[in-house]
Amino acid sequence: SPRLQPHSSLESNNTTDAPGAPSRHNRAASLVTPRTQRRGLRKSHTMDEQTRRRVCLFGTSADPPTGRGGHMGIVQYLASLDDFDEVRILPVYSHMFGSKRGKQAPFQSRVEMCQLICKDIPKAVVSEAERICFEEATAELNDNEKGSLRIGTADILMMLTTNEPNVDFTLALGADTFIDLASGKWRRTEDVFQLVGYRMIVFRRLLENDEHNEKDEILQGSIAKWQLINATKSSLRLVQIPSLTNASSSTVRGTTDEPILEELLTEEVLEYIKRRSMYSFAKSAT
């Protein structure tokens, strides 16, 4: 994929309105006063801002996507914010950790379950960007090479910012995930921050007080570290989503207890799982 410099709304546009400044329309320059120049520049800048779209990216394994206490609640919260024109859910296609590859439910099944939880949420769409990025990167590789290739968040962001230059992307991620990113455990950590213009929403679940205090200290330190790097604008936001509980995809995968599953999943996702004998229902069917 071609590589372009990502747009960042944090960059300032320095303009000059001094008489005699270069003009794109030299013949008309002498007829434009400094005041009308400023008006034109302001109008152009405003129009540019209006044409840019604001998209929040939420990447997740979605194996399976949980209900209001988990994935669905996160998407509902993000979609409720006026900050975004679109909330885009990106199910993981090929896991970064080799030990987890091939152990997830089929990608298309996870996409379809995400579509089920998002179908009634305004501004929410499900994207197969991770699959597209992987397939483009491996188009000329053999099976052995494909198996060892790792496509990370920076690679996906590079593709998105190249294909959609008029979009300002924001990354939404959980507290634990953000701490790992900020501490450099991800590939190309700094590239990830730069590609989204340091725009991130970090959300956390309800925690016990002791755990909350310990994690909060680490989290605040991680945010401060990256805010200082890009001190021109405070673009890292820490939020508490009221609907979030300890709902867990791993709990869903490990049980067929329907009262528990009804608390953790939407009715449509639960029916989808049962109809296809997925997770623990596959074991109970044998």
Side-chain angles (χ1 to χ4, degrees):
S1 300
R3 296 290 186 257
L4 300 180
Q5 290 296 322
H7 168 87
S8 171
S9 64
L10 304 175
E11 296 173 356
S12 60
N13 292 322
N14 296 318
T15 59
T16 177
D17 44 20
S23 170
R24 293 182 182 178
H25 308 288
N26 294 327
R27 292 180 61 189
S30 61
L31 302 178
V32 180
T33 66
R35 178 173 296 179
T36 55
Q37 272 188 324
R38 286 196 294 270
R39 286 175 181 167
L41 287 169
R42 280 198 294 268
K43 182 177 180 182
S44 174
H45 183 67
T46 302
M47 290 177 64
D48 181 63
E49 289 179 342
Q50 290 175 346
T51 58
R52 297 195 65 78
R53 297 186 70 245
R54 303 161 302 165
V55 174
C56 183
L57 302 173
F58 175 39
T60 174
S61 295
D63 193 24
T66 48
R68 274 191 54 79
H71 297 94
M72 182 179 176
I74 294 167
V75 176
Q76 287 176 323
Y77 175 84
L78 296 172
S80 74
L81 300 176
D82 292 333
D83 305 64
F84 306 118
D85 303 304
E86 177 185 311
V87 177
R88 194 177 300 177
I89 299 87
L90 283 69
V92 170
Y93 180 68
S94 179
H95 209 287
M96 280 291 291
F97 298 110
S99 61
K100 294 187 177 183
R101 291 187 183 183
K103 297 182 179 179
Q104 295 175 311
F107 176 71
Q108 199 57 43
S109 295
R110 291 182 285 116
V111 167
E112 290 171 1
M113 287 189 286
C114 284
Q115 290 169 339
L116 288 175
I117 69 166
C118 293
K119 66 184 183 66
D120 296 322
I121 304 177
K123 301 193 292 189
V125 298
V126 181
S127 167
E128 297 189 20
E130 292 214 15
R131 175 188 61 77
I132 294 168
C133 185
F134 184 87
E135 289 178 352
E136 287 183 357
T138 59
E140 298 180 3
L141 302 182
N142 60 42
D143 289 341
N144 289 335
E145 291 170 329
K146 288 180 181 179
S148 61
L149 182 68
R150 293 185 177 184
I151 298 295
T153 301
D155 302 303
I156 296 161
L157 290 173
M158 283 293 292
M159 181 187 77
L160 293 174
T161 54
T162 298
N163 293 342
E164 302 176 72
N166 292 323
V167 172
D168 290 328
F169 291 104
T170 296
L171 198 59
L173 61 174
D176 290 337
T177 306
F178 176 78
I179 290 170
D180 286 346
L181 170 64
S183 63
K185 292 183 179 179
W186 287 26
R187 289 177 60 238
R188 299 173 62 188
T189 290
E190 190 155 351
D191 287 345
V192 171
F193 277 97
Q194 291 177 348
L195 285 163
V196 293
Y198 293 82
R199 292 180 294 272
M200 294 189 186
I201 289 186
V202 182
F203 53 85
R204 53 186 173 189
R205 296 176 181 271
L206 297 174
L207 302 167
E208 296 297 330
N209 287 335
D210 291 343
E211 185 183 356
H212 176 82
N213 292 335
E214 180 181 353
K215 182 171 293 186
D216 191 63
E217 185 176 338
I218 298 172
L219 194 54
Q220 295 292 353
S222 299
I223 290 174
K225 172 184 175 182
W226 287 95
Q227 293 283 30
L228 288 173
I229 290 176
N230 194 61
T232 57
K233 184 177 179 180
S234 178
S235 57
L236 302 181
R237 295 168 52 189
L238 179 61
V239 300
Q240 181 81 57
I241 300 178
S243 66
L244 282 192
T245 66
N246 60 353
S248 159
S249 294
S250 59
T251 300
V252 173
R253 294 193 299 269
T255 185
T256 57
D257 188 322
E258 294 204 28
I260 293 176
L261 293 173
E262 286 169 358
E263 289 185 10
L264 298 176
L265 300 170
T266 66
E267 181 179 348
E268 290 176 311
V269 170
L270 177 54
E271 286 303 313
Y272 185 100
I273 291 170
K274 291 167 60 179
R275 191 164 57 248
R276 288 164 176 75
S277 298
M278 298 173 67
Y279 307 122
S280 289
F281 287 100
K283 299 172 186 176
S284 63
T286 57

